[in-house]
Amino acid sequence: MKTDSTGIEELPIYESLVRERGDVVQEARVVSEETHDQVTQALNGVAPVDRAPSA
């Protein structure tokens, strides 16, 4: 068995799980980036932007 790293696009089981359950890794990446941006803005004294739609 080879031990070199394999890209996600080369893992059929990963593709199957993404189809079944959604791309949790991508979703976590997006939330992480949004959180990072919010923290950066907060530390710089910028008021947060309400992203939730108003009812």
Side-chain angles (χ1 to χ4, degrees):
M1 182 173 171
K2 295 170 92 175
T3 57
D4 45 317
S5 66
T6 303
I8 290 174
E9 59 276 351
E10 298 174 15
L11 300 174
I13 188 70
Y14 183 81
E15 292 173 9
S16 174
L17 286 171
V18 167
R19 281 193 300 274
E20 261 182 52
R21 307 285 180 150
D23 194 346
V24 177
V25 174
Q26 176 61 26
E27 291 173 21
R29 185 177 294 119
V30 168
V31 171
S32 174
E33 290 171 358
E34 290 174 353
T35 303
H36 180 266
D37 291 343
Q38 290 172 0
V39 168
T40 300
Q41 288 178 358
L43 292 173
N44 289 330
V46 177
V49 176
D50 184 15
R51 296 177 187 218
S54 57

